[in-house]
């Protein structure tokens, strides 16, 4: 699981997604305001998102007294670990650091991140899709700015669905269930989806159904997998598993998974929008067959989405050059440097980009000429808000497989029971770690 | 299985220490200071890369890291928690069971191959020796990936075998994964152990064989009376290395879950894997340090027990 998530994030970050037509090449004009004084400042930025580099030259040209050095200090937990070490040692703390959304509370709650309120960050709020803004807000304070986004969408193999007699993408989960039966009727190897205990997928279902299992308030964390939305999502996926409509033998991101995507025996993938750039590499033989649609809805006519992945940048509380750091942060996530990153393939939650004509009207050849950007923009803007991750989510997701896999391997999956055991482990761990979890 | 690679095993390392042959006279004790100077470079390096990290781990193990409230001194609480931790004992039980089954099988193969090569009845000894040793040179990560493909039931070789025979055996089901890992480890380390045995056999004086030939001993008697006793010392060494190696198992269970679904590999599958996950995703460095030290103590205790028993038996000969 660890490797796979890195792969997702890396590909989300590095591989050109939408080569935007026209637009500026060199990082746009400077934002005007030159650096505070004549003093030379050297910023250190930790990022595994390769597109950040693209914004550096434009920024340095506009701010000659600030030098930016972008360092890849590892991905995800490797980087968090390095940051924790640097903070503990009191030296080598970078000025800007990349965080996946679920990692923001982990650093924000113990006071390791700068509250960006002092830079007047609130006024940027409406320039991002609401859920992304929610991702960087902890206990009412903003600790990071969103830099890339993973709105959940349904990628479907239209050829396989057609063969099964499904002529249009399932728009509701009920239709999805009917389609699943038809797909499986094509032969024992055909499934509409795979699941071997993918917590990010299950949470995105819950998220979309309106469930909010984690409530975080300061050091208090409340976990409840019995609210209405969670129950509905869990019951639905349980039905899919019970009726054998889901392939539980193939794990995502494995070699087997690649092959089933290529030969069309796996009909859909409900995942983050970053799959747009990964799928052509994983399933080159299925070129032209796949299409993208919004997640199927819980009620006909609804338009609610969920998230699956994405990241942001924050300024450590121990950083040396906070003013300059914020200046660069604003530049590459919001200001003049944004377009150069988008050109390089970054998928960002900025409404200015998502709503732009260039982004919306670009046809994607792999997806049969579909205007993928328009779908993903809509998926981003409809993500349900108010979701929270517990501060120890990184740990929690790593042990989810321990609990889930015995259920999946015996073929008797009881999602509610898995979630209940998971909750108990989280409560125990969270309280040991000094939180109040119930 | 990496520790064994750090040791350079040669037959001379197995010979009895020199002191036994030439005990130092009591009067020469004065000169020991000069001796100290000679071992100082080694001593300093040994302290730096061996003693200091262990002491640091011991120091770390007395603290608890909390996300809220930071690091606090907790005395031996981590050890108390560890001894009551079912996940830790699950991992320990697994490597012990693994060792009990896999090590004897692997060493049997190694010994048989060494005897075969030494019998001078096979052609292409050098080629065989190199070939059998080759898997040891393959990094564990690569070999795990390779075996993962070979044993995969969906598209792997094993899948084709299942289809041809009409069977339904999954080498990576929770009940069989450990056997598959045993196969990988045996494949990788049989050659290494064979080389140790082979070196010991080469060190047997030719006169013994001549004497045996004069006495009219047949090949089987030569093996029983000369070769097997000659292997006793290296057997102790290989057993110890194998125990240390299997107790430290990490690469295989770390990689497998990304390749196959439902292999039953958990985050606490082996003690080493558990320590890694505790430290790097649970940020429980203190607890992980305690685990590492307890595991080291268990490994050392088992290795010593084997050594003492092995050497006592050897001296009875």
């Amino acid at each position: 699981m660890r490797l796979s998530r890195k792969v997702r994030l890396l590909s989300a970050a590095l591989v050109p997604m939408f080569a935007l037509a026209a637009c500026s090449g060199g990082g746009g004009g400077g934002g005007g305001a030159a650096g505070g004084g004549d003093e030379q400042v050297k910023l250190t930025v930790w990022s595994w998102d390769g597109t950040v580099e693209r914004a550096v030259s434009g920024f340095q040209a506009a701010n000659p007294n600030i030098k930016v050095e972008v360092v890849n200090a590892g991905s995800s937990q490797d980087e968090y670990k390095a940051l924790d070490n640097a903070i503990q040692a009191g030296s080598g703390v970078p000025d800007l650091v990349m965080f996946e959304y679920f990692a923001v509370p982990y650093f924000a709650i113990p006071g390791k991140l700068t509250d960006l309120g002092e830079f007047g960050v609130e006024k940027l709020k409406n320039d991002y899709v609401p859920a992304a803004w929610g991702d960087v807000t902890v206990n009412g304070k903003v600790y990071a700015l969103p830099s890339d986004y993973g709105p959940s969408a349904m990628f479907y193999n239209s050829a396989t669905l057609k063969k099964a007699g499904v002529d249009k993408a399932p728009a509701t989960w009920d239709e999805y269930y009917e389609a699943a039966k038809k797909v499986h009727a094509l032969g024992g190897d055909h499934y509409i989806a795979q699941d071997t205990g993918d917590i990010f997928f299950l949470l995105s279902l819950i998220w979309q159904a309106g469930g909010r299992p984690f409530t975080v308030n300061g050091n208090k964390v409340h976990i409840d997998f019995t609210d209405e939305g969670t129950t509905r999502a869990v019951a639905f996926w349980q039905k899919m598993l019970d009726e054998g409509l889901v392939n539980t033998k193939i794990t995502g991101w494995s070699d087997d998974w690649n092959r089933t995507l290529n030969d069309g025996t796996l009909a859909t993938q409900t995942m983050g929008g970053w799959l747009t750039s990964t799928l052509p590499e994983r399933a080159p033989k299925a070129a032209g067959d796949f299409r993208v649609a919004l997640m199927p809805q819980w009620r006909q006519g609804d338009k609610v989405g969920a998230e699956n992945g994405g990241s942001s940048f924050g300024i450590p509380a121990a950083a040396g050059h906070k003013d300059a750091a914020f200046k660069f942060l604003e530049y590459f996530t919001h200001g003049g440097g944004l377009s150069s990153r988008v050109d390089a393939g970054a998928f960002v939650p900025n409404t200015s980009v998502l709503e732009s004509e260039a982004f919306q009207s670009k046809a994607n050849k792999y997806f049969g000429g579909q205007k993928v950007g328009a779908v993903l923009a809509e998926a981003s803007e409809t993500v349900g808000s108010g979701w929270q991750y517990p501060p120890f989510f990184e740990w929690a997701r790593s042990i989810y497989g321990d609990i889930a896999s015995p259920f999946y391997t015996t073929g008797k999956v009881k999602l509610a029971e898995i979630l209940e055991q998971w909750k108990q482990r989280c409560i125990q761990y969270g309280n040991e770690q000094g939180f109040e979890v119930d | 299985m990496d520790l064994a690679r750090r040791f350079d095993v040669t037959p001379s390392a197995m010979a009895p220490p020199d002191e036994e042959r030439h005990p130092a006279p009591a009067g020469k004790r004065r000169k020991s200071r000069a001796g100290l100077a000679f071992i100082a470079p080694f001593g300093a390096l040994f302290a730096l890369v061996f003693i200091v990290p262990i002491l640091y781990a011991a120091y770390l193990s007395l603290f608890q890291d909390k996300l809220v409230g930071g690091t606090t001194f907790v005395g031996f609480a981590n050890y108390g928690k560890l001894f009551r931790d079912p996940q830790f004992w699950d991992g320990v039980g697994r490597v012990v069971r693994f060792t009990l089954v896999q090590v004897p099988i692997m060493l049997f193969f190694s010994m048989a191959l060494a005897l075969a090569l030494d019998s001078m009845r096979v052609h292409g000894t050098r080629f065989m020796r190199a070939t059998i040793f080759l898997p040891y040179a393959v990094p564990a990560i690569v070999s795990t990936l390779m075996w993962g493909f070979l044993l995969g039931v969906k598209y792997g070789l094993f899948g084709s075998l299942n289809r041809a025979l009409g069977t339904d055996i999954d080498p990576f089901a929770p009940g069989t994964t450990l056997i598959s890992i045993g196969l990988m480890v045996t494949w990788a380390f049989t050659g290494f152990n064979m080389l140790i045995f082979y070196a010991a056999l080469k060190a047997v004086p030719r006169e013994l064989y001549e004497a045996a030939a004069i006495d009219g001993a047949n090949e089987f008697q030569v093996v029983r009376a000369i070769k097997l006793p000659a292997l006793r010392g290296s057997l102790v060494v290989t057993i110890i290395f194998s125990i240390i190696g299997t107790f430290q198992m990490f690469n295989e269970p770390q990689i497998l879950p990304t390749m196959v679904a439902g292999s039953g590999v958990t985050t606490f599958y082996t003690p080493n894997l558990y320590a890694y996950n505790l430290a790097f995703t649970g940020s429980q460095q203190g607890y992980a340090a305690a685990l590492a030290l307890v595991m080291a103590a268990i490994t050392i205790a088992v290795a010593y027990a084997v050594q003492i028993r092995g050497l006592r038996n050897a001296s009875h000969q």
Side-chain angles (χ1 to χ4, degrees):
Chain A
M1 295 303 287
R2 197 174 153 240
L3 188 74
S4 69
R5 197 164 45 85
K6 273 188 195 168
V7 171
R8 297 181 203 183
L9 289 161
L10 272 181
S11 46
L14 298 176
V15 182
M17 225 184 218
F18 311 97
L20 271 190
C23 273
S24 63
D38 296 332
E39 199 188 337
Q40 273 288 336
V41 172
K42 189 168 159 267
L43 280 184
T44 308
V45 181
W46 281 6
S47 163
W48 69 88
D49 176 346
T51 66
V52 174
E53 198 96 45
R54 302 292 183 104
V56 171
S57 61
F59 179 76
Q60 289 183 157
N63 300 276
N65 61 335
I66 303 178
K67 271 247 166 307
V68 179
E69 191 191 7
V70 181
V71 180
N72 185 344
S75 300
S76 190
Q77 49 182 285
D78 294 339
E79 189 211 61
Y80 308 149
K81 180 82 198 128
L83 178 62
D84 257 337
N85 286 343
I87 290 172
Q88 219 155 51
S91 72
V93 180
D95 301 296
L96 263 176
V97 184
M98 181 169 177
F99 302 101
E100 284 152 283
Y101 290 132
F102 65 76
V104 173
Y106 172 92
F107 287 99
I109 286 174
K112 291 173 180 171
L113 282 181
T114 307
D115 172 7
L116 298 182
E118 61 182 85
F119 301 105
V121 81
E122 273 298 324
K123 65 176 191 291
L124 307 180
K125 181 176 177 176
N126 292 328
D127 299 341
Y128 293 93
V129 300
W133 195 256
D135 288 329
V136 293
T137 309
V138 180
N139 294 325
K141 290 177 180 158
V142 178
Y143 288 96
L145 284 182
S147 60
D148 70 71
Y149 204 51
S152 206
M154 182 176 68
F155 296 81
Y156 62 99
N157 189 317
S158 56
T160 305
L161 285 186
K162 193 164 276 171
K163 213 162 55 171
V166 182
D167 290 328
K168 68 182 208 11
T172 64
W173 288 111
D174 287 334
E175 288 176 31
Y176 185 87
Y177 167 72
E178 295 303 328
K181 287 198 278 194
K182 288 180 187 163
V183 168
H184 195 49
L186 287 175
D189 278 349
H190 288 73
Y191 290 94
I192 199 158
Q194 86 292 340
D195 179 28
T196 55
D198 182 348
I199 184 59
F200 282 105
F201 168 70
L202 187 61
L203 289 182
S204 73
L205 268 191
I206 292 172
W207 184 324
Q208 189 206 19
R212 295 291 179 267
F214 308 106
T215 331
V216 185
N217 190 355
N219 284 341
K220 289 203 181 80
V221 181
H222 180 64
I223 306 176
D224 176 17
F225 289 112
T226 59
D227 66 9
E228 197 207 327
T230 309
T231 311
R232 186 190 307 154
V234 169
F236 171 72
W237 200 246
Q238 183 71 55
K239 179 172 76 172
M240 294 285 294
L241 290 164
D242 284 347
E243 299 188 15
L245 300 174
V246 178
N247 190 338
T248 54
K249 300 279 180 227
I250 286 181
T251 196
W253 311 99
S254 66
D255 182 57
D256 287 351
W257 184 69
N258 291 346
R259 292 172 194 252
T260 49
L261 287 177
N262 273 302
D263 65 22
T265 50
L266 256 183
T268 74
Q269 296 290 307
T270 307
M271 279 194 189
W274 32 260
L275 192 64
T276 317
S277 57
T278 319
L279 203 54
E281 299 163 16
R282 293 282 186 162
K285 284 188 205 144
D289 288 343
F290 273 97
R291 297 287 183 279
V292 188
L294 294 182
M295 278 176 96
Q297 297 295 312
W298 292 101
R299 268 179 296 266
Q300 188 83 46
D302 270 4
K303 262 187 189 167
V304 184
E307 237 174 57
N308 189 341
S311 34
S312 60
F313 280 78
I315 303 172
H321 312 289
K322 292 190 186 180
D323 288 330
F326 183 76
K327 194 172 276 179
F328 181 56
L329 173 62
E330 200 277 333
Y331 180 81
F332 78 84
T333 59
H334 181 264
L338 185 63
S339 59
S340 56
R341 288 184 52 233
V342 172
D343 288 347
F347 183 79
V348 297
N350 303 60
T351 47
S352 61
V353 174
L354 293 175
E355 284 163 9
S356 72
E357 179 61 24
F359 182 80
Q360 298 236 347
S361 60
K362 168 92 179 150
N364 188 319
K365 228 167 105 189
Y366 179 84
F367 292 91
Q370 190 189 10
K371 286 168 186 159
V372 173
V375 179
L376 292 180
E378 192 174 10
S380 303
E381 282 162 3
T382 53
V383 170
S385 54
W387 178 273
Q388 288 178 301
Y389 282 113
F392 44 82
F393 187 74
E394 172 69 10
W395 171 86
R397 66 162 200 91
S398 75
I399 61 126
Y400 179 80
D402 288 353
I403 300 166
S405 94
F407 285 92
Y408 279 86
T409 48
T410 53
K412 292 186 196 73
V413 186
K414 292 194 181 65
L415 289 174
E417 206 175 315
I418 295 173
L419 290 172
E420 177 59 27
Q421 285 187 23
W422 194 41
K423 175 184 157 183
Q424 294 307 330
R425 290 284 304 278
C426 285
I427 289 175
Q428 193 197 346
Y429 176 84
N431 285 317
E432 276 173 17
Q433 291 294 314
F435 298 95
E436 288 174 52
V437 189
D438 66 349
Chain B
M1 301 289 302
D2 277 326
L3 196 77
R5 292 175 194 219
R6 293 192 210 139
F7 292 85
D8 181 22
V9 185
T10 57
S12 65
M14 285 159 228
D18 272 356
E19 295 92 310
E20 282 176 30
R21 291 183 205 153
H22 311 290
K28 289 193 176 174
R29 285 263 164 80
R30 276 184 296 118
K31 287 192 176 171
S32 63
R33 269 195 205 151
L36 279 181
F38 277 110
I39 66 160
F42 163 78
L45 217 61
F46 182 73
L48 195 71
V49 301
F50 225 80
I51 307 291
V52 172
I54 290 175
L55 290 179
Y56 185 58
Y59 169 77
L60 279 182
S61 72
L62 304 178
F63 292 86
Q64 190 194 357
D65 310 272
K66 286 187 175 185
L67 291 177
V68 179
T71 307
T72 45
F73 180 79
V74 291
F76 289 96
N78 280 332
Y79 293 92
K81 189 178 158 198
L82 186 68
F83 285 108
R84 292 189 308 272
D85 186 344
Q87 303 193 332
F88 171 64
W89 292 113
D90 179 72
V92 173
R94 186 168 292 111
V95 291
V96 168
R97 288 199 308 275
F98 184 87
T99 307
L100 287 178
V101 176
Q102 187 264 337
V103 172
I105 293 175
M106 173 178 67
L107 293 185
F108 173 78
F109 279 126
S110 301
M111 207 180 270
L113 285 168
L115 287 171
L117 287 184
D118 191 57
S119 71
M120 313 224 246
R121 304 210 172 173
V122 278
H123 290 287
T125 314
R126 269 186 206 185
F127 175 73
M128 294 288 285
R129 205 169 57 198
T131 314
I132 297 167
F133 184 73
L134 205 60
Y136 181 71
V138 177
I141 304 215
V142 177
S143 82
T144 308
L145 289 173
M146 187 191 83
W147 279 101
F149 288 126
L150 277 176
L151 297 178
V153 280
K154 181 125 179 84
Y155 295 102
L157 183 70
F158 216 85
S160 317
L161 212 66
N162 267 340
R163 277 188 288 281
L165 301 174
T167 51
D168 187 21
I169 304 165
D170 182 358
F172 292 120
T176 51
T177 300
L178 204 56
I179 298 174
S180 299
I181 293 179
L183 186 63
M184 298 178 199
V185 172
T186 306
W187 176 79
F189 289 89
T190 297
F192 171 76
N193 290 306
M194 176 209 71
L195 218 58
I196 298 179
F197 290 135
Y198 185 69
L201 287 176
K202 281 284 160 224
V204 173
R206 290 287 120 190
E207 295 83 4
L208 284 179
Y209 294 133
E210 285 162 19
I214 290 166
D215 288 346
N218 63 27
E219 194 64 31
F220 176 70
Q221 284 167 320
V222 168
V223 167
R224 226 175 57 112
I226 301 177
K227 292 189 175 180
L228 286 184
L231 288 179
R232 191 181 287 273
S234 38
L235 185 63
V236 174
V237 173
T238 52
I239 291 176
I240 290 172
F241 282 173
S242 304
I243 289 171
I244 294 173
T246 51
F247 273 37
Q248 295 195 337
M249 189 154 59
F250 178 80
N251 288 332
E252 293 85 357
Q254 167 78 349
I255 297 167
L256 273 182
T258 62
M259 292 191 73
V260 285
S263 59
V265 175
T266 53
T267 55
F268 49 89
Y269 202 69
T270 68
N272 252 14
L273 192 65
Y274 190 32
Y276 174 84
N277 283 315
L278 284 174
F280 291 103
T281 61
S283 50
Q284 294 167 289
Q285 288 86 346
Y287 192 45
L291 191 160
L293 285 178
V294 169
M295 242 1 251
I298 293 176
T299 312
I300 290 169
V302 172
Y304 258 106
V306 170
Q307 188 166 23
I308 288 165
R309 214 183 134 64
L311 289 182
R312 191 177 31 183
N313 282 357
S315 62
H316 279 301
Q317 286 296 308

